[in-house]
RNA sequence: GGGCGAUUAGCUCAGCUGGUAGAGCGCUUCGUUUACACCGAAGAUGUCGGCGGUUCGAGUCCGUCAUCGCCCACCA
């Protein structure tokens, strides 16, 4: 006998253990030989991560699909794993070290990396257990990590191959540099933030003219938001068509403070409408200026260190071509080493002192910030590794265009195309220690060798250097002779962008580059489930890498779900610290309740704003099902395989089987179409509003009756329907349903399989007549209840029923269902009459008028009011439908079945109207 | 500056290919029953953001405006 309430805390761990001990989720578990494959790769959570609502939603949806397909008999793999999360993880361990006053740079690189591995072993990956608590049915035996041996092999393979194909190269250009984390980051890791800044107007004196701040013929005014970069200016640009400046093109200005002579160039980049129409050009510190510099062969002078502090007096690049007078020297010395913001203030002061500051105005503008470090990023001139993304994007675009990969909802395809078609070179190198170190080695002359191993690189280097006469050949030969080959090469210090390895996830986790059986079976995977925030970071890159290395798209469907937002509608993120903890909800209401809530809220293309009250509501739903089972058990409901459903005789049984068929279709179709909310909703309605509210209630008199055959049939049918309910709900509420499945195995019986391996239902039972009969019964009972309630009839009072105008069908039904009606509507004897008795409440159901002769109990005013309201309602309907039908254009243009349906409606409304009016008239008379 | 999405019951949200609205929570009243008070019964509540248009008919399609949100973008 079940307890009155379901104890999630006790059951969930028990069921989890049961699944684990039986390897229930191993790849292909429960599937027949040769079954169709269904694979999902998990979006690998960060090893530093802990379960937040986004994970909970993401993994709930995946688990629903996976459990559903597993039950449908497919050969299912849900591939789990974690991401090493380069910057995030390195920051965590660095923070820990700082607590012991140790800086990363105080350690050897290998020592630091070892510490990160230690950290991972101890406190990394707690999210895996949290996912298990959620019920995620991954094949945990196949768990992978982006830095493990196999995946690292794949990373090296890809890097080397792309390099040799010319799709990956090293380039010196401006990158987004994070001066706090001291690494390059990709465009995607830059967030634009609006800043209330200022716009400074500077006068740059013309060379060879005596500068006079009052005389605008002696200078050119430029405007800037970043005064400190002026130290690296190498030109002023004006628009070629700008009449104001035409005569100045080709002349030079003297860069204030520095004293460098720089040219005025004509370039279309300069916008006559903006600022003063003349713009300072700093190729080493601005992306646009870099391009202008290239066009005009200008020098790019970097004036900052990686920490974004000024470097001038010892910066050869800066000093080159500069006439450093003592005055200049002292000014520069005063600026040396200043942080960029401090430098900004100081530069403005110096400009003002010299009379070069023309104006300052407040200015709102967007400033790029690093999404991890949170500080403004600096365009910085460095050598980095780039992937030719435009080339790889081409087949990735085609795959979606041709429908080989579909986005659900489809609207995301536009986002994907927009980005892919304008894709920039992808900077994949990072100046970190934690990650895949780039497999590139440099010879003494800086020549680069990209190979899978150091041995290969050395081999390549030796061949390369020995082949050509020269100093390198001698040096290498000398090193070899002295048995010091290790000194020939130096390895590239940098590691790869974390997304580089995640881009390979759909095939690297399956064993690539080896052609493993798993790879053959499960690639391409079936569905990728993810939030839209990582379409660019991850989905796009998996598409590129998958197509390039596997020649096939990595998944057929990308299901893009909404983001779970906080109560203000803001995106939840670790860095913002506004996460609601799903574990607390699991603790309070159970994993099933949380899962069901997330599923029913996951309408396509909508944000999910989570209200804990709903979780409580769906926990109640679980309890309801639990108690329905409990009730069934109390009445001897048990599996009876000898009973042939088709032989069910009772209308209620034939009805519930029909409704079950309908509900099953709804749930099945909805899951298959990724309409999780519809699926959950359909199951909910069937269980609560049909099975519990009506079927079990209608069964009560059957169970109390003497009729053994009816009882036995109902017990068998109820047991069958419950089993099907467990199956339908299992993808949503796996723990409770698995428990109920076990607890309803029957006398001495054990289930032949776990519920998670049971076959998904595909019932075919349909009996329209039974359906309409029970719907009539429901309408009748509801009508009587409604009247009783509105008439304030005491609940205990049992009223007789007088039926007027009933046809044969209705009369038969009244006899057949008398027990149920009596019980559910609290009525006694049923009799037939030609005229309704005096002082009775009247309900119109189809052709019959059902009367409750309440005598003294009846409140005539109330009844009159009630009937008037009914009449008014029906009259309104009649008027509406009549207006419609008398509109000839409607009759002429609307579809036939629509018109027919309206006619039918009219007839019904009119009949009801007549009867209700008659009823009202009788009440008035009495 | 470009793009996308939202605006439906007090709250949170459904509403597929057009036939005039639903759920959960909350609220009101009442609780006799072979499970369930995490329950049952009955009930109230909506100019479907505004304005136009297409259509016999629009919450649903089109245009436009308003408000809010998100994404992308190098603008001095």
């Amino acid at each position: 006998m079940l307890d009155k309430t379901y104890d999630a805390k006790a059951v969930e761990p028990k069921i989890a253990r049961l699944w684990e001990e039986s390897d229930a989720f191993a790849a292909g578990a429960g599937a027949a030989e040769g079954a169709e494959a269904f694979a999902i790769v998990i979006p690998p959570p960060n090893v530093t991560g802990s379960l937040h609502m986004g994970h909970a939603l993401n993994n709930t949806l995946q688990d629903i699909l996976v459990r559903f397909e597993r039950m449908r008999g497919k050969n299912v793999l849900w591939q789990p794993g974690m991401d090493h999360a380069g910057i995030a993880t390195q920051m965590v361990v660095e923070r820990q070290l700082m607590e012991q006053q140790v800086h990363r740079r105080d350690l050897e690189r290998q020592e630091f990396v070892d510490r990160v591995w230690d950290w991972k072993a101890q406190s990394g990956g707690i999210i895996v257990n949290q996912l298990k608590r959620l019920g995620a049915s991954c094949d945990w035996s196949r768990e992978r990590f982006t830095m493990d041996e196999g995946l690292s092999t794949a990373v090296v393979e890809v890097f080397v191959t792309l390099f040799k194909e010319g799709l990956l190269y090293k380039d010196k250009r401006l990158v987004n540099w994070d001066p706090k984390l001291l690494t390059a980051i990709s465009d995607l890791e830059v967030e634009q933030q609006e800043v209330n800044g200022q716009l400074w107007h500077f006068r740059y004196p013309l060379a060879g003219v005596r500068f006079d701040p009052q005389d605008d013929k002696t200078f050119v005014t430029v405007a800037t938001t970043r005064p400190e970069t002026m130290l690296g200016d190498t030109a002023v640009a004006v628009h070629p068509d700008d009449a104001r400046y035409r005569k100045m093109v080709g002349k030079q200005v003297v860069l204030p403070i520095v004293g460098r002579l720089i040219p005025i160039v004509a370039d279309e980049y300069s916008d006559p409408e903006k600022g003063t129409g003349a713009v300072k050009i700093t190729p080493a510190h601005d992306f646009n200026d870099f391009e202008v510099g290239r066009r005009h062969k200008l020098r790019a002078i970097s004036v900052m260190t990686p920490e974004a502090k000024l470097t001038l007096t010892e910066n050869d690049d800066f000093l080159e071509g500069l006439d450093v007078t003592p005055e200049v020297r002292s000014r520069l010395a005063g600026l040396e080493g200043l942080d960029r913001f401090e430098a900004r203030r100081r530069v403005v002061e110096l400009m003002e002192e010299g009379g070069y500051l023309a104006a300052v105005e407040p200015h709102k503008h967007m400033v790029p910030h690093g999404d991890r470090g949170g500080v403004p990023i600096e365009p910085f001139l460095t050598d980095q590794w780039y992937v030719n993304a435009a080339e790889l994007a081409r087949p990735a675009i085609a795959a979606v265009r041709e429908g080989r990969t579909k986005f659900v909802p489809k609207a995301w395809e536009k986002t994907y195309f927009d980005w892919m078609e304008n894709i920039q070179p992808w900077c994949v190198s990072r100046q970190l220690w934690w990650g895949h170190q780039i497999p590139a080695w440099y010879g003494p002359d800086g020549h680069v060798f990209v190979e899978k191993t150091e041995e290969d690189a050395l081999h390549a280097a030796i061949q390369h250097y020995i082949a050509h006469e020269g100093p390198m050949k001698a040096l290498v030969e000398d090193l070899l002779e002295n048995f010091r080959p290790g000194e020939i090469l130096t390895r590239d210090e940098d590691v790869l962008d974390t997304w580089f390895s995640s881009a390979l996830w759909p095939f690297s986790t399956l064993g690539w580059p080896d052609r493993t059986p798993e790879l053959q079976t499960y690639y391409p995977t079936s569905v990728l489930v993810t939030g839209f925030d990582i379409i660019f970071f991850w989905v796009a890159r998996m598409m590129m890498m998958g197509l390039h290395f596997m020649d096939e798209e990595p998944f057929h469907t990308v299901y893009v779900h909404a983001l779970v937002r906080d109560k203000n509608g803001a995106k939840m993120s670790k860095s913002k610290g506004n996460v609601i903890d799903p574990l607390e909800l699991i603790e309070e209401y159970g994993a099933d309740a949380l899962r069901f809530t997330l599923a029913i809220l996951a309408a396509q293309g909508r944000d999910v704003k989570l209200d804990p009250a709903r979780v409580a509501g769906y926990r109640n739903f679980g309890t309801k099902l639990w108690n329905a089972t409990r009730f069934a058990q109390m009445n001897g409901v048990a599996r009876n395989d000898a009973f042939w459903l088709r032989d069910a005789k009772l209308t209620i049984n034939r009805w519930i089987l029909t409704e079950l068929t309908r509900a099953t279709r709804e749930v099945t179709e909805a899951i298959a179409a990724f309409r999780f909310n519809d699926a959950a909703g359909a199951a909910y309605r069937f269980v609560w509003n049909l099975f519990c509210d009506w079927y079990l209630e209608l069964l009560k008199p059957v169970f109390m009756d003497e009729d053994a055959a009816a009882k036995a049939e109902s017990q068998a049918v109820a047991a069958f329907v419950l089993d099907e309910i467990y199956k339908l709900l299992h993808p949503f509420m796996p723990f409770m349903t698995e428990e109920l499945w076990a607890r309803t195995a029957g006398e001495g019986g054990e289930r032949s399989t776990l519920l998670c391996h049971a076959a998904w239902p595909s019932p075919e039972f349909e009996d329209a007549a039974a359906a309409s009969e029970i719907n009539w019964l429901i309408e009748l009972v509801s009508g009587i209840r409604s009247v009783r309630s509105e008439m304030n009839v005491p609940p205990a009072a049992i009223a007789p029923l007088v039926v007027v105008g009933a046809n044969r069908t209705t009369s038969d039904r009244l006899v057949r269902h008398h027990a149920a009606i009596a019980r559910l509507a609290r009525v006694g004897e049923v009799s037939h009459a030609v005229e309704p008795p005096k002082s009775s409440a009247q309900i119109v159901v189809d052709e019959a008028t059902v009367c409750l002769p309440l005598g003294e109990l009846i409140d005539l005013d109330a009844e009159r009011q009630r009937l008037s309201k009914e009449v008014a309602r029906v009259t309104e309907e009649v008027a509406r439908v009549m207006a419609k039908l008398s509109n000839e254009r409607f009759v002429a243009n609307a579809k036939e079945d629509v018109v027919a349906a309206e006619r039918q409606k009219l007839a019904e409304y009119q009949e009801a109207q007549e009867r209700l009016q008659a009823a009202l008239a009788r009440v008035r008379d009495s």
Side-chain angles (χ1 to χ4, degrees):
Chain A
M1 175 75 160
L2 300 174
D3 292 338
K4 267 174 96 166
T5 51
Y6 166 71
D7 184 359
K9 263 186 214 161
V11 171
E12 288 177 2
K14 190 184 80 184
I15 294 295
R17 220 175 308 122
L18 175 68
W19 287 330
E20 194 156 349
E21 281 163 5
S22 49
D23 285 329
F25 310 136
E33 198 70 29
E36 187 186 340
F38 181 88
I40 291 186
V41 291
I42 202 170
N46 287 356
V47 61
T48 55
S50 76
L51 194 79
H52 64 243
M53 268 315 162
H55 294 126
L57 172 65
N58 178 252
N59 288 288
T60 294
L61 300 185
Q62 289 176 81
D63 197 47
I64 289 169
L65 292 174
V66 161
R67 286 182 186 269
F68 171 65
E69 298 294 0
R70 194 182 285 122
M71 290 173 80
R72 290 219 285 185
K74 292 197 186 160
N75 172 358
V76 170
L77 167 64
W78 186 7
Q79 172 65 49
M82 283 186 296
D83 193 287
H84 67 279
I87 295 181
T89 310
Q90 178 160 327
M91 280 170 73
V92 167
V93 176
E94 279 181 332
R95 223 173 289 136
Q96 267 188 351
L97 287 173
M98 285 310 267
E99 282 166 19
Q100 305 155 35
Q101 311 291 325
V102 180
H103 191 270
R104 161 165 70 104
R105 300 269 169 196
D106 300 337
L107 304 176
E108 291 293 317
R109 177 177 182 142
Q110 191 53 49
E111 208 179 334
F112 177 77
V113 169
D114 288 344
R115 295 246 189 156
V116 182
W117 280 108
D118 287 348
W119 173 87
K120 178 189 179 269
Q122 280 171 29
S123 37
I126 56 173
I127 195 169
V128 167
N129 284 320
Q130 296 171 332
L131 286 171
K132 287 181 184 172
R133 265 195 91 180
L134 186 68
S137 65
C138 301
D139 181 353
W140 295 106
S141 70
R142 293 187 48 84
E143 188 186 335
R144 304 307 298 269
F145 182 54
T146 47
M147 288 264 286
D148 69 24
E149 207 179 319
L151 272 60
S152 298
T153 305
V155 165
V156 169
E157 177 81 23
V158 165
F159 189 94
V160 173
T161 307
L162 288 175
F163 177 81
K164 298 202 166 161
E165 291 171 337
L167 292 168
L168 188 154
Y169 53 90
K170 199 163 191 184
D171 196 10
K172 187 182 187 111
R173 45 185 286 170
L174 285 185
V175 286
N176 297 302
W177 181 265
D178 188 318
K180 183 178 167 197
L181 303 174
L182 301 178
T183 177
I185 58 179
S186 83
D187 299 348
L188 290 174
E189 291 161 303
V190 174
E191 281 175 359
Q192 300 291 337
Q193 290 177 19
E194 191 172 71
V195 166
N196 286 314
Q198 284 166 299
L199 190 62
W200 288 270
H201 294 251
F202 288 160
R203 302 182 181 109
Y204 282 10
L206 287 164
V209 182
R210 192 190 155 75
F211 172 61
D212 176 0
Q214 308 299 319
D215 180 359
D216 64 7
K217 290 190 191 63
T218 67
F219 57 84
V220 175
T221 306
V222 296
T224 181
T225 55
R226 300 208 52 199
E228 69 280 10
T229 64
M230 64 82 71
L231 300 165
D233 282 3
T234 54
V236 168
V238 297
H239 196 276
D241 300 335
D242 193 336
R244 293 172 294 176
Y245 298 110
R246 191 165 294 153
K247 278 179 287 180
M248 295 191 182
V249 174
K251 292 187 175 164
Q252 290 187 306
V253 294
V254 183
L255 187 63
I257 303 178
V258 179
R260 192 191 306 279
L261 285 175
I262 58 176
I264 297 174
V265 299
D267 194 285
E268 307 218 323
Y269 162 65
S270 179
D271 182 348
E273 308 285 312
K274 289 271 163 59
T276 61
V279 59
K280 68 195 254 327
I281 300 298
T282 324
H285 292 285
D286 182 283
F287 287 97
N288 289 307
D289 293 5
F290 187 76
E291 293 306 316
V292 176
R294 274 201 172 164
R295 287 199 283 274
H296 297 275
K297 308 220 175 339
L298 301 171
R299 287 178 57 203
I301 301 174
S302 179
V303 296
M304 284 188 209
T305 64
E307 293 82 9
K309 293 183 160 71
L310 289 181
T311 169
L312 306 166
T313 57
E314 287 170 27
N315 179 345
D316 293 340
D317 218 21
F318 176 76
L319 294 172
E320 193 189 323
L322 204 60
D323 178 20
V324 186
T325 62
E327 195 194 348
V328 169
R329 178 174 300 283
S330 85
R331 275 202 299 261
L332 296 182
L335 290 165
E336 181 69 26
L338 292 182
D339 172 80
R340 53 186 164 162
F341 301 110
E342 184 62 23
R344 177 175 305 172
R345 274 188 28 225
R346 189 64 194 130
V347 164
V348 171
E349 277 171 20
L350 287 172
M351 292 299 279
E352 192 167 15
E353 284 165 21
Y356 305 114
L357 180 64
V360 188
E361 49 182 300
H363 185 66
K364 246 187 206 164
H365 62 134
M366 301 299 262
V367 176
H369 286 66
D371 66 353
R372 287 280 169 193
V375 300
I377 68 105
E378 200 61 50
F380 196 57
L381 195 58
T382 54
D383 281 307
Q384 301 288 346
W385 292 93
Y386 293 89
V387 167
N388 183 344
E391 186 65 29
L392 293 174
R394 219 167 294 145
I397 292 168
V400 176
R401 280 232 188 280
E402 291 158 17
R404 280 176 281 136
T405 295
K406 291 189 176 69
F407 280 73
V408 178
K410 200 170 169 56
W412 291 108
E413 290 182 4
K414 183 176 162 46
T415 307
Y416 174 84
F417 289 136
D418 284 351
W419 190 69
M420 286 294 238
E421 281 161 5
N422 296 297
I423 199 163
Q424 297 300 306
W426 172 17
C427 175
V428 294
S429 44
R430 297 287 181 276
Q431 286 63 52
L432 304 172
W433 282 354
W434 175 244
H436 300 278
Q437 193 171 355
I438 289 175
W441 287 263
Y442 302 96
D445 60 348
H447 190 279
V448 64
F449 301 92
V450 173
E451 297 293 343
K452 289 182 199 171
T453 63
E454 181 150 17
E455 284 97 316
D456 288 355
L458 187 59
H459 193 69
I462 292 167
Q463 285 202 320
H464 172 82
Y465 289 121
I466 305 290
H468 309 283
E469 285 301 327
M472 285 303 133
K473 179 175 179 177
L475 176 66
V476 168
E477 280 174 346
D478 184 54
L479 286 169
L480 286 173
E481 266 169 41
N482 292 300
F483 301 104
R484 286 155 58 201
E487 289 173 37
I488 297 174
L489 295 177
T490 323
R491 185 164 185 179
D492 195 308
E493 294 269 306
D494 293 351
V495 301
L496 286 164
D497 180 6
T498 303
W499 297 103
F500 191 91
S501 51
S502 3
L504 319 180
W505 192 247
F507 51 96
S508 65
T509 52
L510 298 175
W512 188 90
D514 294 337
R515 292 216 57 88
T516 60
E518 289 88 345
L519 194 63
Q520 312 249 17
T521 306
Y522 298 115
Y523 192 96
T525 67
S526 311
V527 186
L528 181 82
V529 179
T530 188
F532 59 79
D533 52 333
I534 53 173
I535 290 179
F536 303 144
F537 278 110
W538 194 45
V539 180
R541 282 149 180 187
M542 283 191 286
M543 288 294 288
M544 296 193 272
M545 292 299 199
L547 281 155
H548 192 75
F549 287 94
M550 294 296 297
D551 268 334
E552 253 184 302
E553 60 286 351
F555 21 73
H556 298 304
T557 302
V558 179
Y559 176 76
V560 180
H561 62 247
L563 257 41
V564 185
R565 297 187 180 269
D566 70 7
K567 56 182 182 292
N568 305 316
K571 178 173 163 177
M572 286 188 190
S573 72
K574 293 145 264 175
S575 50
K576 279 185 196 157
N578 59 349
V579 288
I580 300 176
D581 188 358
L583 294 162
E584 283 175 21
L585 292 174
I586 291 176
E587 192 66 24
E588 184 164 7
Y589 303 110
D592 288 334
L594 176 63
R595 291 169 58 111
F596 201 87
T597 308
L598 290 171
I600 210 163
L601 288 178
Q604 284 181 12
R606 276 290 210 130
D607 289 343
V608 174
K609 278 189 229 162
L610 195 69
D611 181 358
R614 290 197 76 145
V615 186
Y618 295 116
R619 183 269 323 263
N620 296 353
F621 172 60
T623 311
K624 186 76 182 174
L625 174 63
W626 183 263
N627 276 288
T629 302
R630 185 164 173 265
F631 169 76
Q633 288 192 331
M634 288 166 54
N635 285 286
V637 168
R639 221 150 39 98
N640 180 357
D641 295 338
F643 181 77
W644 205 235
L645 290 174
R646 220 177 298 157
D647 297 338
K649 292 194 176 54
L650 266 62
T651 315
I652 42 167
N653 287 330
R654 299 184 68 81
W655 164 75
I656 197 66
L657 290 168
T658 302
E659 292 292 350
L660 173 67
T661 301
R662 293 175 184 173
T664 303
R665 283 197 192 127
E666 250 187 286
V667 173
T668 307
E669 282 165 20
I671 299 180
F674 306 102
R675 288 184 284 110
F676 300 99
N677 59 325
D678 288 339
Y684 182 96
R685 285 190 300 275
F686 176 72
V687 171
W688 201 315
N689 303 131
L690 294 182
F691 186 77
C692 291
D693 287 350
W694 292 104
Y695 180 66
L696 290 185
E697 291 302 328
L698 291 168
L699 234 40
K700 283 176 183 174
V702 176
F703 286 146
M704 283 187 294
D705 201 64
E706 298 293 294
D707 188 338
K711 212 183 283 186
E713 172 187 313
S714 300
Q715 286 165 336
V717 171
F720 172 79
V721 176
L722 274 171
D723 272 5
E724 301 300 271
I725 286 172
Y726 303 149
K727 292 178 195 166
L728 288 179
L729 282 174
H730 184 256
F732 303 94
M733 316 185 92
F735 293 104
M736 177 190 282
T737 50
E738 188 76 79
E739 172 75 1
L740 286 172
W741 179 255
R743 306 265 305 249
T744 53
E747 289 293 314
E750 279 227 353
R751 299 278 192 174
S752 57
T753 137
L754 290 171
L755 179 59
C756 63
H757 292 156
W760 187 256
S762 54
E764 280 162 13
F765 193 102
E766 276 211 87
D767 183 343
S772 93
E773 180 164 335
I774 299 302
N775 285 336
W776 166 88
L777 176 59
I778 289 172
E779 197 187 336
L780 174 68
V781 169
S782 300
I784 297 171
R785 281 171 170 175
S786 183
V787 166
R788 291 180 59 116
S789 171
E790 285 188 48
M791 294 295 99
N792 296 317
V793 176
I798 292 182
L801 217 58
V802 180
V803 184
V804 178
N807 61 21
R808 184 65 188 272
T809 310
T810 302
S811 305
D812 287 350
R813 284 172 172 179
L814 282 165
V815 172
R816 246 198 320 272
H817 299 293
H818 180 254
I821 298 165
R823 198 188 142 67
L824 296 178
R826 304 289 295 165
V827 300
E829 292 298 309
V830 175
S831 59
H832 292 263
V834 183
E835 282 293 316
K838 291 259 174 198
S839 300
S840 62
Q842 302 156 63
I843 306 139
V844 175
V845 183
D846 293 346
E847 85 296 342
T849 302
V850 176
C851 308
L852 292 176
L854 296 168
E856 302 298 298
L857 286 171
I858 195 160
D859 178 341
L860 283 177
D861 278 341
E863 174 66 352
R864 207 172 296 127
Q865 241 174 39
R866 188 187 67 83
L867 282 172
S868 304
K869 216 171 85 186
E870 288 283 288
V871 169
R873 207 198 82 232
V874 174
T875 305
E876 208 176 294
E877 293 295 322
V878 168
R880 209 193 71 229
V881 180
M882 259 169 63
K884 212 173 204 181
L885 283 168
S886 57
N887 178 346
E888 41 193 77
R889 286 190 300 178
F890 169 72
V891 181
N893 294 329
K895 277 180 252 157
E896 263 178 58
D897 55 330
V898 172
V899 178
E902 292 294 319
R903 290 224 165 89
Q904 171 79 24
K905 251 194 261 176
L906 182 61
E908 281 166 17
Y909 283 138
Q910 280 174 329
E911 195 180 320
Q913 189 186 23
E914 256 171 57
R915 286 173 207 287
L916 284 164
Q917 271 165 347
L920 183 57
R922 282 192 294 269
V923 176
R924 286 221 174 94
D925 292 345
S926 56

